[in-house]
Amino acid sequence: MKFENNLAFAQQLDKADRLNTYRSKFFFPQHNGKDVVYFTGNSLGLQPKTTQSYIQQELNDWSAFGVEGHFLAKYPWLSYHEFLTEKMAKIVGALPEETVMMNQLTVNLHLLMVSFYRPTQQRYKILCEAKAFPSDQYALQSQVKFHGHDIADALIEVSPREGEYHIREEDILSAIEKNKDSLALIMIGGVNYFTGQVFDMKTITEAGHKAGAIVGFDLAHGAGNIKLELHNWNVDFAAWCSYKYLNSGPGSVAGAFVHQKHLSNTNLPLFAGWWGHDKKTRFLMDSTFVPMPTAERWQLSNAPVFSMAACRASLDIFDEVGMDALFEKSRHLTAYMEFIVAEINKEKNNCLQIITPAQNRGCQISIVANGYGKALYNKLIENGVIPDWREPNVIRCAAVPLYNSFEDIYRFGEILKSLL
Ligand SMILES: *Cc1c(COP(=O)(O)O)cnc(C)c1O
């Protein structure tokens, strides 16, 4: 499609967009009486207008039933997490039995590594991407140390080449090959939080398995953003949060995936809690742990119902829309954003550089504004655009297909241009 850089054209695209009505199902922060241009759904997704009633339902049932709400609530708390499973599984391309909503992201990464990072004298290395999200780096480092290995020796970080922003897939594959005798685990952010680069998880998983390693992904920036087929790709485990693209509210409950092939292995070591015990006999309160036959085995505690209620409100929307429709709009929005940036560059001396690879991206575009520092980001905020800033010099913009519009992108372009 041939794009145009004007308001009427952007509005015409919005009219033709069959997801356009979903925008009105979300609350937008206001700036001078108008919706802000919200490009930070990759950090904290907007609040669906339905969320309050989902949480209110649980408050009502708590006041009406007290402890009996575990059974009598409209959505009984005892099994509340089960209401999320199927819809979540669809979003990440997993079987319901492979999927569970529990805890928070970094907690889940640790719990899964307890089971899947089992280093030996020979095989103890972990391969990850350089400059992974700090929490992931700390998690990996502490796991390595916990097992008595040396971080400098055991952690292999694959970096972009000199002068490049994203990591070449061939460099990941050759690092796997090179370390194939000592590699225990590959743990990569499936979508890099900084550049927005999407990794070829299928190929990396295959290569990892061929090398004899376990392969897991952090999908904080993947879940709800890109097409995922965790089951078919044969990924061993994964974890993600629900407050970014999944719009479940600050610090909301996270997700975890364990591939079906591991579920029959009841000898897998794990850190256990009562919610991972077989639900049929959980309340016999016996001292012997009998594992759930599903990913629910990794649960420790009973369900945090309020954050799960927020998550349920959001997943109901995803389920109604369907991921394929979202991906289609997402591609269209990012293509328009790319076009608008190119238009600005024509007038502004090519000062904007998109560092997100065009062939491997979700809805996030990371932009380096050469010659401009954080002041540019501050001015965007002052002018009603909310992107985010990542040191040392990147402005991240996520045009989220559920609630962002082509007009948002046009307005962003006009404001950005006026500040350069
Ligand atoms: C957002 C994000 C986190 C945050 O971890 P929490 O445990 O949810 O605080 C971790 N890893 C990555 C890759 C992220 O993008």
Side-chain angles (χ1 to χ4, degrees), residues 104-106 133 135-136 193 218 220-221 241 243-244:
Q104 297 197 287
L105 169 55
T106 309
F133 192 90
S135 200
D136 300 38
Y193 80 100
D218 180 330
H221 283 263
C241 55
Y243 50 81
K244 291 174 178 164

Side-chain angles (χ1 to χ4, degrees), residues 91-113:
I91 293 173
V92 295
L95 304 175
E97 70 193 76
E98 297 172 320
T99 311
V100 62
M101 297 305 283
M102 61 179 188
N103 312 310
Q104 297 197 287
L105 169 55
T106 309
V107 175
N108 288 347
L109 287 176
H110 275 300
L111 291 176
L112 292 168
M113 281 194 278

Side-chain angles (χ1 to χ4, degrees), residues 341-342 344-353 368 370:
V341 168
I344 298 173
N345 269 338
K346 278 187 205 161
E347 290 181 47
K348 300 286 177 185
N349 225 358
N350 285 321
C351 69
L352 301 177
Q353 183 186 1
V368 172
N370 290 304

Side-chain angles (χ1 to χ4, degrees), residues 7 20 61 84 88 135 151 169 189 207-208 210 280 335 341-342 381 412 418:
L7 180 61
N20 189 238
D61 288 347
L84 308 173
M88 190 66 250
S135 200
I151 294 171
E169 215 108 88
K210 225 174 102 200
K280 293 197 279 297
V341 168
I381 297 274
F412 162 70
S418 75

Side-chain angles (χ1 to χ4, degrees), residues 129-285:
E129 79 275 35
K131 298 215 182 87
F133 192 90
S135 200
D136 300 38
Q137 294 187 47
Y138 309 149
L140 294 175
Q141 291 164 7
S142 58
Q143 286 281 337
V144 164
K145 266 179 30 190
F146 179 75
H147 287 284
H149 291 279
D150 177 39
I151 294 171
D153 175 36
L155 266 189
I156 307 158
E157 296 191 350
V158 184
S159 305
R161 294 187 188 177
E162 186 75 28
E164 297 184 2
Y165 276 101
H166 45 266
I167 300 171
R168 295 197 193 189
E169 215 108 88
E170 68 209 71
D171 291 350
I172 296 178
L173 299 180
S174 65
I176 293 171
E177 172 65 23
K178 203 174 127 203
N179 293 284
K180 64 174 189 271
D181 296 328
S182 55
L183 202 56
L185 173 67
I186 296 170
M187 227 298 288
I188 290 181
V191 181
N192 183 266
Y193 80 100
F194 189 76
T195 61
Q197 175 178 13
V198 175
F199 292 103
D200 180 347
M201 289 176 251
K202 180 170 185 274
T203 303
I204 291 172
T205 303
E206 273 170 19
H209 287 165
K210 225 174 102 200
I214 289 275
V215 184
F217 293 100
D218 180 330
L219 297 172
H221 283 263
N225 176 28
I226 59 162
K227 186 156 183 71
L228 295 167
E229 293 186 62
L230 296 181
H231 177 80
N232 290 339
W233 295 341
N234 216 6
V235 169
D236 293 291
F237 71 91
W240 57 92
C241 55
S242 69
Y243 50 81
K244 291 174 178 164
Y245 293 105
L246 295 175
N247 308 325
S248 302
S252 196
V253 66
F257 163 90
V258 177
H259 198 280
Q260 185 184 40
K261 68 187 175 191
H262 295 299
L263 296 175
S264 55
N265 178 5
T266 47
N267 291 324
L268 264 180
L270 88 170
F271 284 173
W274 72 320
W275 238 247
H277 186 285
D278 185 14
K279 69 177 178 182
K280 293 197 279 297
T281 54
R282 184 182 295 149
F283 282 88
L284 298 179
M285 303 305 218

Side-chain angles (χ1 to χ4, degrees), residues 73-93:
K74 184 170 176 199
Y75 299 95
W77 304 329
L78 196 67
S79 49
Y80 200 93
H81 69 276
E82 293 178 13
F83 301 123
L84 308 173
T85 305
E86 246 169 73
K87 288 169 185 165
M88 190 66 250
K90 269 199 235 170
I91 293 173
V92 295

